[in-house]
Amino acid sequence: MLVCSLVLLVAVVAVRVSSRSGLPSLLLYLGIGIALGQDGFFDVTFNNAELTQVIGYAALVVILAEGGLGTKWKEIRPALPAAVVLSLVGVGISVGVTAAGAHYLVGLEWRQALIIGAVVSSTDAAAVFSVLRKVPLPSRVTGVLEAESGFNDAPVVILVVAFSTVGEVDSWYVLIGEIALELAIGAVMGIAVGWLGSYGLRHVALPASGLYPIAVMAIAVSAYAAGAMLHGSGFLAVYLAAMILGNAKLPHWPATRGFADGLGWLAQIGMFVLLGLLVTPHDLLDDFWPAVVVGLVLTAVARPLEVFISLLPFKLPWQEKALMSWAGLRGAVPIILATIPMVSGIEGSTRVFNIVFVLVVVYTLIQGPTLPWLAKALHLGDNPSEAADLGIESAPLERLRGHLLSVAIPEASKMHGVEISELRMPAGAAVTLVVRDDESFVPSPSTVLRRGDELLVVTTDPVRDAAEARLRAVAEGGKLAGWLGTPGGHPAGHEATGPQLGGALKTVKKIGRGDETKKRESAKRVAAKQEAAKNGTGGPAAARPGAAKHEGPPRDARARH
């Protein structure tokens, strides 16, 4: 019990040290495991590779789920084609070049060389972004790196299992077919489970908010199970399902995100401590220089070729390709995958594990601290952080058919200086409370919003999405959002659509019956009047649909600007 408490205490300190030093935390956790194991302070003997592999797979599922939940679709979407090519074609290039170096320079047999080439071809998002978290990069670079680390685990696992099978290795075209089939099954199951899970969570109010984080993680793990049961890629399934859930605007999202982040840290700590226990430090000395040579081939030759050849069709700047070449950090996945040949009883598998272990540690120490410097040297770290992503948490009110939106205004948001009335929220939504400097008050229409404010917005169910879209539009474009073409804006006088037009149609139906075309034209006029009344701009011009299209912003907005 004392040892467990000591490990947890040291692990917490390790998290703090890694966050301040910029070093990937995996090194500190591995150090804890080594200190506990053979040749360490406690001399704990642990050599169960099979148990390590099972626990490592479980931890990897949690880590991939946490990574998928934190992936923003708007950032990853433009980078998706490049990331997919890098995860498939790039992995093949990396495996071939690294295996050739391990065979001809280190003298490993071809099977062992191919296993090492496949094992170290997988990058680790946790290692990369733990170093780059303080260096703002173009979204295209972060999107490619993040998507690559989520996608390339699946083909790498398939290759390692194939090379670690006792007997003859399948032909290359058979391997390609197996990879394509398993990836297709995993992708279908991940998308299906993620979509069904997000749909259910958005339409069913759970009895307690604390159940939402558990439900989200359970859905992600179910995607892995479904993919694996159908002989598909469970790792790709869990990543895609988590990514869909992470972009689905689920209720109580900040709490869910924090819960997943905590589980991810716990999985990494437990996994790396266990891997540190498994290794025997005095056996690493004999394989130190072979690991350095293989790592040099991987870092200086295989990875740059992988990046520049795979991304050739996308015409990215050479600076971005150079950073991606150096940012291919190896972390948890290679060490876990190195246990597969050990469990299969492949000859020389212990040496393969030792080489991979040393390679990951040495080159993480070299690449990790130099990544921020390289990003700044290539002028990729000078962009200001993308600030204005509004933090919005939704709590469903099932019986009242409404939603409570908790909105946090970040430092660089253009919502700073905007009056409540200038938000121009859709009918059915209202700002009911403002929290500022630890004090809360009910705002008036002239209340000016400030950085750091937290707003409580009440919306009816039909306008929940429109209200959130409007808030995000103002956060990005300021009070003139809509006039300047910002998505989500709907200035007074423009044709009303969606929930606003629906509400106007209900009003028209109460007025009387008539021709359907006349009803719709009347609906547009009513909607325009409602919007004009909210903005304080009345008169015939505001009441005519489309009349304000060529007249510019309201008079008071022009005066202020």
Side-chain angles (χ1 to χ4, degrees):
M1 191 69 179
L2 179 61
V3 174
C4 293
S5 301
L6 182 61
V7 170
L8 287 175
L9 178 61
V10 176
V12 172
V13 175
V15 173
R16 185 63 175 172
V17 172
S18 66
S19 64
R20 287 182 172 265
S21 65
L23 285 173
S25 56
L26 69 92
L27 298 180
L28 299 173
Y29 306 145
L30 285 173
I32 294 173
I34 293 174
L36 293 174
Q38 300 179 54
D39 301 339
F41 297 110
F42 295 92
D43 197 25
V44 176
T45 302
F46 179 79
N47 53 12
N48 193 333
E50 187 173 0
L51 176 62
T52 303
Q53 180 183 328
V54 172
I55 296 177
Y57 270 36
L60 185 55
V61 169
V62 174
I63 293 171
L64 283 173
E66 189 272 332
L69 291 174
T71 300
K72 296 180 180 179
W73 176 243
K74 66 179 182 180
E75 291 183 1
I76 202 176
R77 181 174 54 187
L80 199 57
V84 170
V85 174
L86 192 58
S87 302
L88 297 176
V89 178
V91 163
I93 296 172
S94 179
V95 171
V97 174
T98 306
H103 176 72
Y104 291 110
L105 298 180
V106 179
L108 294 177
E109 296 180 358
W110 270 115
R111 181 187 288 270
Q112 298 172 1
L114 286 170
I115 291 175
I116 287 182
V119 163
V120 298
S121 294
S122 179
T123 58
D124 183 20
V128 172
F129 290 103
S130 67
V131 175
L132 292 179
R133 64 185 178 273
K134 294 183 180 179
V135 182
L137 294 174
S139 58
R140 180 168 53 189
V141 175
T142 57
V144 171
L145 289 173
E146 189 169 354
E148 179 204 8
S149 62
F151 292 155
N152 65 10
D153 292 339
V156 165
V157 170
I158 297 171
L159 287 175
V160 174
V161 171
F163 295 150
S164 301
T165 302
V166 177
E168 293 293 328
V169 179
D170 293 331
S171 301
W172 63 270
Y173 53 85
V174 176
L175 287 177
I176 292 177
E178 290 178 356
I179 290 174
L181 179 60
E182 292 194 23
L183 292 180
I185 295 174
V188 170
M189 293 308 302
I191 293 173
V193 173
W195 185 85
L196 290 173
S198 62
Y199 181 85
L201 289 177
R202 287 198 310 269
H203 291 82
V204 176
L206 298 179
S209 61
L211 294 176
Y212 282 91
I214 299 174
V216 168
M217 292 304 296
I219 292 170
V221 174
S222 298
Y224 172 82
M229 287 178 62
L230 295 177
H231 302 287
S233 174
F235 293 118
L236 180 60
V238 67
Y239 183 75
L240 290 177
M243 186 168 64
I244 292 173
L245 290 167
N247 290 272
K249 300 177 182 178
L250 299 179
H252 304 289
W253 179 243
T256 301
R257 189 72 188 92
F259 178 78
D261 192 39
L263 275 185
W265 275 108
L266 186 61
Q268 288 188 68
I269 292 172
M271 178 176 56
F272 287 125
V273 170
L274 195 61
L275 291 172
L277 280 172
L278 184 63
V279 75
T280 304
H282 67 263
D283 291 341
L284 299 177
L285 298 177
D286 295 335
D287 297 314
F288 180 82
W289 289 113
V292 172
V293 172
V294 174
L296 186 62
V297 173
L298 171 67
T299 306
V301 182
R303 177 66 180 180
L305 283 176
E306 170 189 357
V307 172
F308 278 85
I309 293 177
S310 300
L311 301 182
L312 191 61
F314 300 97
K315 299 179 181 179
L316 299 178
W318 70 268
Q319 294 94 335
E320 295 184 5
K321 293 181 181 178
L323 182 63
M324 292 180 196
S325 300
W326 193 247
L329 290 180
R330 271 67 190 175
V333 180
I335 303 178
I336 294 172
L337 296 182
T339 63
I340 294 177
M342 296 177 68
V343 175
S344 301
I346 299 298
E347 183 180 355
S349 58
T350 301
R351 189 184 185 195
V352 169
F353 180 86
N354 290 339
I355 290 176
V356 172
F357 191 95
V358 174
L359 186 155
V360 169
V361 172
V362 170
Y363 283 90
T364 301
L365 280 173
I366 294 174
Q367 292 174 271
T370 57
L371 265 175
W373 173 84
L374 179 62
K376 293 179 181 178
L378 294 173
H379 302 291
L380 295 175
D382 299 330
N383 298 328
S385 10
E386 294 184 6
D389 189 21
L390 212 58
I392 300 180
E393 179 176 1
S394 172
L397 304 175
E398 188 177 33
R399 294 184 60 188
L400 301 180
R401 299 184 182 276
H403 291 263
L404 291 176
L405 303 182
S406 175
V407 182
I409 302 178
E411 286 296 321
S413 173
K414 291 186 180 180
M415 196 177 284
H416 174 77
V418 176
E419 295 182 3
I420 294 291
S421 61
E422 292 172 332
L423 291 176
R424 292 185 283 136
M425 300 290 288
V431 179
T432 59
L433 197 69
V434 175
V435 179
R436 178 180 299 165
D437 299 330
D438 297 327
E439 294 184 0
S440 58
F441 59 92
V442 177
S444 66
S446 61
T447 298
V448 178
L449 300 177
R450 298 178 184 174
R451 301 182 184 93
D453 283 355
E454 293 185 19
L455 315 180
L456 184 64
V457 181
V458 179
T459 79
T460 57
D461 191 62
V463 301
R464 182 244 188 267
D465 291 338
E468 183 171 340
R470 180 60 195 162
L471 290 169
R472 293 188 184 279
V474 177
E476 295 177 9
K479 62 183 70 177
L480 292 183
W483 297 108
L484 302 179
T486 307
H490 43 270
H494 283 228
E495 289 193 0
T497 58
Q500 287 184 318
L501 186 56
L505 284 173
K506 292 179 182 178
T507 305
V508 173
K509 288 178 182 178
K510 293 179 180 179
I511 294 174
R513 298 180 180 180
D515 182 72
E516 290 298 325
T517 302
K518 293 181 179 180
K519 285 185 179 182
R520 184 160 294 277
E521 290 299 323
S522 179
K524 293 178 180 179
R525 289 195 296 272
V526 172
K529 288 180 180 179
Q530 291 175 348
E531 185 69 13
K534 280 191 354 177
N535 295 326
T537 59
R544 291 194 307 271
K549 283 185 178 179
H550 306 289
E551 298 176 9
R555 185 177 297 105
D556 58 342
R558 288 200 300 270
R560 283 193 294 271
H561 294 275

